[in-house]
Amino acid sequence: NFNKNNNREQKNDLIEKTNFPQSYICRFLRGEEALSPSFALALQEVFSFNADFWMNLQKCYNKTKKG
């Protein structure tokens, strides 16, 4: 399945570019792990959106989970 393989490649690429453990990234992508400030900084380097952007997304996600 192309989509499944593409998602796997994207996940592996993110693991490689951020140097974060696969277990953390998998839990994060499934919504089981909150975004840490250090992962926000890593995402900043990969995607060129500042860490505050990523932390604000986490805050919005947290609000939707509670509501």
Side-chain angles (χ1 to χ4, degrees):
N1 184 327
F2 172 77
N3 196 26
K4 198 174 227 181
N5 288 337
N6 194 36
N7 288 342
R8 188 176 301 128
E9 288 175 20
Q10 290 174 339
K11 180 183 67 179
N12 290 337
D13 195 36
L14 188 60
I15 291 165
E16 182 180 317
K17 288 181 178 179
T18 61
N19 279 331
F20 269 73
Q22 179 178 352
S23 58
Y24 173 84
I25 291 178
C26 289
R27 288 190 315 271
F28 172 75
L29 293 174
R30 288 191 304 258
E32 299 168 356
E33 183 81 35
L35 179 74
S36 69
S38 57
F39 192 51
L41 288 171
L43 291 175
Q44 173 179 282
E45 297 302 314
V46 173
F47 294 108
S48 300
F49 289 98
N50 68 35
D52 289 335
F53 169 82
W54 297 107
M55 293 307 295
N56 284 332
L57 281 178
Q58 181 65 52
K59 286 179 191 174
C60 290
Y61 177 76
N62 293 346
K63 286 180 185 177
T64 61
K65 277 184 71 177
K66 290 178 184 177

